[in-house]
Amino acid sequence: HSRVAGSFDGFRAATQQVQAQRLLVERAMARWRRPVVGQMEVWFEVWVEHVDDVRGVKAHDALKADMVQAQEELLSWVKMEHFTCQHCSVANEIDARLPMMCEMCGEMQVSDTEQATLDTHEILVQLEQHVKATQDHLSWITIECSSLKIDQQQHQISIETLHNSKQALKSEFLTQQEELLSWVKMEHFTCQHCSVANEIDARLPMMCEVCGAMQASELDKALSTTKLLEEEMQRDKQRRLEVAKRTVLRLQHSQLAGALDSFVERVLAAKDRRVMCQRYAMRLLHSRVAGS
Protein backbone atom coordinates (compact mmCIF):
# COMPACT_ATOMS: atom_id res chain seq x y z
CA HIS A 1 0.00 0.00 0.00
CA SER A 2 2.80 2.47 0.86
CA ARG A 3 4.52 1.80 -2.46
CA VAL A 4 1.31 2.37 -4.44
CA ALA A 5 0.68 5.59 -2.49
CA GLY A 6 4.21 6.84 -3.18
CA SER A 7 3.88 6.08 -6.89
CA PHE A 8 0.56 7.95 -7.02
CA ASP A 9 2.11 10.99 -5.28
CA GLY A 10 4.98 11.00 -7.79
CA PHE A 11 2.56 10.75 -10.72
CA ARG A 12 0.49 13.65 -9.33
CA ALA A 13 3.60 15.85 -8.85
CA ALA A 14 4.80 15.14 -12.43
CA THR A 15 1.30 15.97 -13.77
CA GLN A 16 1.22 19.28 -11.87
CA GLN A 17 4.68 20.16 -13.18
CA VAL A 18 3.63 19.46 -16.80
CA GLN A 19 0.48 21.59 -16.31
CA ALA A 20 2.56 24.49 -14.95
CA GLN A 21 4.95 24.27 -17.94
CA ARG A 22 2.04 24.30 -20.39
CA LEU A 23 0.58 27.36 -18.63
CA LEU A 24 3.93 29.19 -18.97
CA VAL A 25 4.08 28.32 -22.67
CA GLU A 26 0.49 29.54 -23.24
CA ARG A 27 1.22 32.84 -21.51
CA ALA A 28 4.36 33.34 -23.59
CA MET A 29 2.45 32.59 -26.81
CA ALA A 30 -0.25 35.04 -25.74
CA ARG A 31 2.34 37.78 -25.19
CA TRP A 32 3.88 37.09 -28.61
CA ARG A 33 0.51 37.19 -30.38
CA ARG A 34 -0.69 40.35 -28.62
CA PRO A 35 -0.76 43.34 -31.04
CA VAL A 36 1.65 46.23 -30.35
CA VAL A 37 -0.09 48.90 -32.44
CA GLY A 38 -0.50 51.22 -29.45
CA GLN A 39 3.21 51.04 -28.57
CA MET A 40 4.16 51.60 -32.22
CA GLU A 41 1.96 54.71 -32.32
CA VAL A 42 3.66 56.07 -29.22
CA TRP A 43 7.11 55.36 -30.65
CA PHE A 44 6.12 57.01 -33.96
CA GLU A 45 4.96 60.15 -32.13
CA VAL A 46 8.25 60.27 -30.20
CA TRP A 47 10.21 59.90 -33.45
CA VAL A 48 8.17 62.69 -35.13
CA GLU A 49 8.85 65.00 -32.19
CA HIS A 50 12.57 64.21 -32.37
CA VAL A 51 12.66 64.90 -36.14
CA ASP A 52 10.85 68.25 -35.62
CA ASP A 53 13.34 69.23 -32.90
CA VAL A 54 16.30 68.37 -35.15
CA ARG A 55 14.83 70.36 -38.04
CA GLY A 56 14.21 73.34 -35.76
CA VAL A 57 17.81 73.27 -34.49
CA LYS A 58 19.15 73.11 -38.06
CA ALA A 59 16.92 75.99 -39.20
CA HIS A 60 18.02 78.10 -36.20
CA ASP A 61 21.70 77.43 -36.98
CA ALA A 62 21.23 78.32 -40.66
CA LEU A 63 19.41 81.56 -39.75
CA LYS A 64 22.15 82.48 -37.29
CA ALA A 65 24.85 81.87 -39.95
CA ASP A 66 22.95 84.05 -42.48
CA MET A 67 22.67 86.83 -39.93
CA VAL A 68 26.38 86.70 -39.15
CA GLN A 69 27.25 86.80 -42.88
CA ALA A 70 24.91 89.75 -43.49
CA GLN A 71 26.41 91.59 -40.51
CA GLU A 72 29.95 91.05 -41.81
CA GLU A 73 28.91 92.26 -45.27
CA LEU A 74 27.34 95.40 -43.80
CA LEU A 75 30.46 96.08 -41.74
CA SER A 76 32.63 95.70 -44.85
CA TRP A 77 30.59 98.35 -46.65
CA VAL A 78 31.27 100.95 -43.98
CA LYS A 79 34.96 99.95 -43.42
CA MET A 80 37.23 102.69 -44.80
CA GLU A 81 41.01 102.75 -44.94
CA HIS A 82 43.17 105.89 -44.44
CA PHE A 83 46.61 106.27 -46.05
CA THR A 84 49.04 109.00 -47.14
CA CYS A 85 50.32 109.04 -50.72
CA GLN A 86 54.03 108.32 -51.00
CA HIS A 87 54.43 110.68 -54.01
CA CYS A 88 52.33 113.76 -53.24
CA SER A 89 51.96 113.28 -49.44
CA VAL A 90 48.18 113.82 -49.62
CA ALA A 91 45.91 112.10 -47.07
CA ASN A 92 43.37 109.75 -48.71
CA GLU A 93 40.33 107.80 -47.49
CA ILE A 94 39.17 104.87 -49.58
CA ASP A 95 37.07 101.72 -49.28
CA ALA A 96 39.07 98.80 -47.93
CA ARG A 97 37.83 96.53 -50.74
CA LEU A 98 39.19 98.85 -53.49
CA PRO A 99 42.86 99.15 -54.51
CA MET A 100 44.89 101.88 -52.80
CA MET A 101 45.08 104.63 -55.48
CA CYS A 102 45.76 108.30 -54.64
CA GLU A 103 42.81 110.55 -55.53
CA MET A 104 45.17 113.49 -56.25
CA CYS A 105 47.99 112.03 -58.39
CA GLY A 106 46.47 108.68 -59.31
CA GLU A 107 49.49 106.64 -58.16
CA MET A 108 48.96 103.14 -56.85
CA GLN A 109 50.08 102.53 -53.28
CA VAL A 110 51.21 99.39 -51.59
CA SER A 111 49.70 98.52 -48.21
CA ASP A 112 51.65 97.08 -45.31
CA THR A 113 49.95 93.71 -45.74
CA GLU A 114 50.85 93.52 -49.45
CA GLN A 115 54.41 94.59 -48.68
CA ALA A 116 54.69 91.86 -46.03
CA THR A 117 53.25 89.38 -48.53
CA LEU A 118 55.86 90.33 -51.13
CA ASP A 119 58.66 90.07 -48.58
CA THR A 120 57.36 86.68 -47.48
CA HIS A 121 57.23 85.51 -51.11
CA GLU A 122 60.86 86.54 -51.66
CA ILE A 123 61.92 84.77 -48.47
CA LEU A 124 60.05 81.61 -49.57
CA VAL A 125 61.76 81.74 -52.99
CA GLN A 126 65.16 82.01 -51.30
CA LEU A 127 64.32 79.12 -48.98
CA GLU A 128 63.24 76.98 -51.94
CA GLN A 129 66.52 77.71 -53.71
CA HIS A 130 68.48 76.84 -50.57
CA VAL A 131 66.50 73.60 -50.10
CA LYS A 132 67.08 72.65 -53.74
CA ALA A 133 70.82 73.25 -53.38
CA THR A 134 70.85 71.20 -50.17
CA GLN A 135 68.99 68.35 -51.90
CA ASP A 136 71.48 68.38 -54.78
CA HIS A 137 74.36 68.26 -52.30
CA LEU A 138 72.68 65.38 -50.41
CA SER A 139 72.11 63.44 -53.64
CA TRP A 140 75.81 63.88 -54.53
CA ILE A 141 76.80 62.67 -51.05
CA THR A 142 74.46 59.67 -51.42
CA ILE A 143 76.01 58.74 -54.78
CA GLU A 144 79.51 59.00 -53.31
CA CYS A 145 78.49 56.83 -50.32
CA SER A 146 76.98 54.21 -52.61
CA SER A 147 80.15 54.11 -54.73
CA LEU A 148 82.28 53.78 -51.58
CA LYS A 149 80.01 50.99 -50.36
CA ILE A 150 80.34 49.15 -53.68
CA ASP A 151 84.14 49.47 -53.50
CA GLN A 152 84.08 48.15 -49.93
CA GLN A 153 81.94 45.17 -50.98
CA GLN A 154 84.34 44.40 -53.83
CA HIS A 155 87.31 44.54 -51.44
CA GLN A 156 85.43 42.27 -49.01
CA ILE A 157 84.70 39.78 -51.81
CA SER A 158 88.33 39.78 -52.85
CA ILE A 159 89.44 39.23 -49.23
CA GLU A 160 86.98 36.32 -48.85
CA THR A 161 88.24 34.81 -52.13
CA LEU A 162 91.83 35.01 -50.93
CA HIS A 163 90.85 33.48 -47.58
CA ASN A 164 88.99 30.60 -49.28
CA SER A 165 91.94 29.93 -51.59
CA LYS A 166 94.26 29.96 -48.58
CA GLN A 167 92.04 27.45 -46.75
CA ALA A 168 91.89 25.21 -49.86
CA LEU A 169 95.67 25.26 -50.22
CA LYS A 170 96.09 24.50 -46.52
CA SER A 171 93.67 21.54 -46.63
CA GLU A 172 95.39 20.20 -49.77
CA PHE A 173 98.78 20.52 -48.08
CA LEU A 174 97.53 18.64 -45.00
CA THR A 175 96.05 15.89 -47.18
CA GLN A 176 99.29 15.43 -49.07
CA GLN A 177 101.24 15.45 -45.80
CA GLU A 178 98.99 12.76 -44.29
CA GLU A 179 99.29 10.70 -47.46
CA LEU A 180 103.10 10.94 -47.36
CA LEU A 181 103.14 10.01 -43.69
CA SER A 182 100.85 7.03 -44.34
CA TRP A 183 103.25 5.71 -46.94
CA VAL A 184 106.12 5.56 -44.49
CA LYS A 185 104.03 4.31 -41.53
CA MET A 186 104.70 0.63 -40.93
CA GLU A 187 103.27 -1.67 -38.29
CA HIS A 188 105.25 -4.44 -36.46
CA PHE A 189 103.58 -7.56 -35.08
CA THR A 190 104.41 -11.17 -34.20
CA CYS A 191 102.42 -13.99 -35.79
CA GLN A 192 100.33 -15.95 -33.29
CA HIS A 193 100.79 -19.25 -35.19
CA CYS A 194 104.40 -19.37 -36.32
CA SER A 195 105.83 -16.69 -33.91
CA VAL A 196 107.59 -14.86 -36.77
CA ALA A 197 108.17 -11.09 -36.57
CA ASN A 198 106.47 -9.19 -39.41
CA GLU A 199 106.55 -5.61 -40.71
CA ILE A 200 103.61 -4.46 -42.89
CA ASP A 201 101.95 -1.29 -44.12
CA ALA A 202 99.40 0.05 -41.61
CA ARG A 203 96.74 0.42 -44.34
CA LEU A 204 96.88 -3.29 -45.25
CA PRO A 205 95.33 -6.17 -43.26
CA MET A 206 97.59 -7.91 -40.72
CA MET A 207 98.61 -11.12 -42.56
CA CYS A 208 101.70 -13.13 -41.75
CA GLU A 209 104.20 -13.15 -44.63
CA VAL A 210 105.42 -16.71 -43.75
CA CYS A 211 102.30 -18.77 -42.97
CA GLY A 212 99.68 -16.40 -44.43
CA ALA A 213 97.50 -16.47 -41.33
CA MET A 214 95.35 -13.42 -40.60
CA GLN A 215 96.06 -11.71 -37.29
CA ALA A 216 93.69 -9.79 -35.09
CA SER A 217 94.75 -6.33 -33.99
CA GLU A 218 94.34 -4.96 -30.49
CA LEU A 219 91.34 -2.89 -31.56
CA ASP A 220 89.59 -5.95 -33.04
CA LYS A 221 90.27 -7.90 -29.87
CA ALA A 222 88.82 -5.08 -27.73
CA LEU A 223 85.74 -4.86 -29.97
CA SER A 224 85.13 -8.62 -29.80
CA THR A 225 85.52 -8.57 -26.00
CA THR A 226 83.10 -5.64 -25.75
CA LYS A 227 80.60 -7.49 -27.96
CA LEU A 228 80.79 -10.58 -25.76
CA LEU A 229 80.30 -8.50 -22.63
CA GLU A 230 77.27 -6.80 -24.16
CA GLU A 231 75.72 -10.17 -25.07
CA GLU A 232 76.34 -11.44 -21.52
CA MET A 233 74.74 -8.31 -20.05
CA GLN A 234 71.72 -8.73 -22.35
CA ARG A 235 71.26 -12.37 -21.26
CA ASP A 236 71.58 -11.35 -17.60
CA LYS A 237 69.01 -8.58 -18.13
CA GLN A 238 66.56 -11.01 -19.76
CA ARG A 239 67.02 -13.50 -16.89
CA ARG A 240 66.34 -10.80 -14.29
CA LEU A 241 63.22 -9.69 -16.16
CA GLU A 242 61.90 -13.27 -16.18
CA VAL A 243 62.54 -13.59 -12.43
CA ALA A 244 60.78 -10.29 -11.76
CA LYS A 245 57.77 -11.34 -13.86
CA ARG A 246 57.47 -14.67 -11.99
CA THR A 247 57.73 -12.84 -8.64
CA VAL A 248 55.00 -10.38 -9.62
CA LEU A 249 52.74 -13.23 -10.78
CA ARG A 250 53.22 -15.03 -7.45
CA LEU A 251 52.38 -11.83 -5.53
CA GLN A 252 49.27 -11.25 -7.63
CA HIS A 253 48.18 -14.88 -7.13
CA SER A 254 48.62 -14.64 -3.36
CA GLN A 255 46.75 -11.30 -3.24
CA LEU A 256 43.88 -12.71 -5.31
CA ALA A 257 43.69 -15.79 -3.09
CA GLY A 258 43.59 -13.63 0.04
CA ALA A 259 40.89 -11.40 -1.48
CA LEU A 260 38.81 -14.45 -2.40
CA ASP A 261 39.18 -15.89 1.09
CA SER A 262 38.08 -12.60 2.69
CA PHE A 263 35.13 -12.38 0.28
CA VAL A 264 34.03 -15.94 1.16
CA GLU A 265 34.30 -15.14 4.88
CA ARG A 266 32.20 -11.99 4.49
CA VAL A 267 29.56 -13.82 2.44
CA LEU A 268 29.29 -16.57 5.04
CA ALA A 269 29.06 -14.02 7.85
CA ALA A 270 26.35 -12.09 5.99
CA LYS A 271 24.48 -15.34 5.37
CA ASP A 272 24.66 -16.25 9.07
CA ARG A 273 23.38 -12.79 10.05
CA ARG A 274 20.52 -13.05 7.56
CA VAL A 275 19.50 -16.48 8.90
CA MET A 276 19.65 -15.14 12.46
CA CYS A 277 17.48 -12.12 11.54
CA GLN A 278 14.96 -14.37 9.81
CA ARG A 279 14.77 -16.61 12.90
CA TYR A 280 14.33 -13.59 15.16
CA ALA A 281 11.57 -12.21 12.89
CA MET A 282 9.81 -15.62 12.86
CA ARG A 283 9.98 -15.79 16.63
CA LEU A 284 8.46 -12.29 16.97
CA LEU A 285 5.73 -13.15 14.46
CA HIS A 286 5.06 -16.44 16.24
CA SER A 287 4.86 -14.70 19.60
CA ARG A 288 2.44 -12.05 18.24
CA VAL A 289 0.24 -14.71 16.61
CA ALA A 290 0.26 -16.71 19.81
CA GLY A 291 -0.67 -13.63 21.85
CA SER A 292 -3.52 -12.66 19.49
Side-chain angles (χ1 to χ4, degrees), residues 231-247:
E231 292 177 356
E232 186 66 25
M233 289 173 63
Q234 192 70 21
R235 288 194 295 271
D236 190 16
K237 181 180 178 181
Q238 192 69 23
R239 183 180 59 78
R240 291 181 180 180
L241 286 174
E242 294 293 336
V243 172
K245 288 180 180 179
R246 287 197 297 270
T247 306

Side-chain angles (χ1 to χ4, degrees), residues 224-234:
S224 61
T225 306
T226 305
K227 188 174 182 181
L228 292 174
L229 290 174
E230 289 180 354
E231 292 177 356
E232 186 66 25
M233 289 173 63
Q234 192 70 21

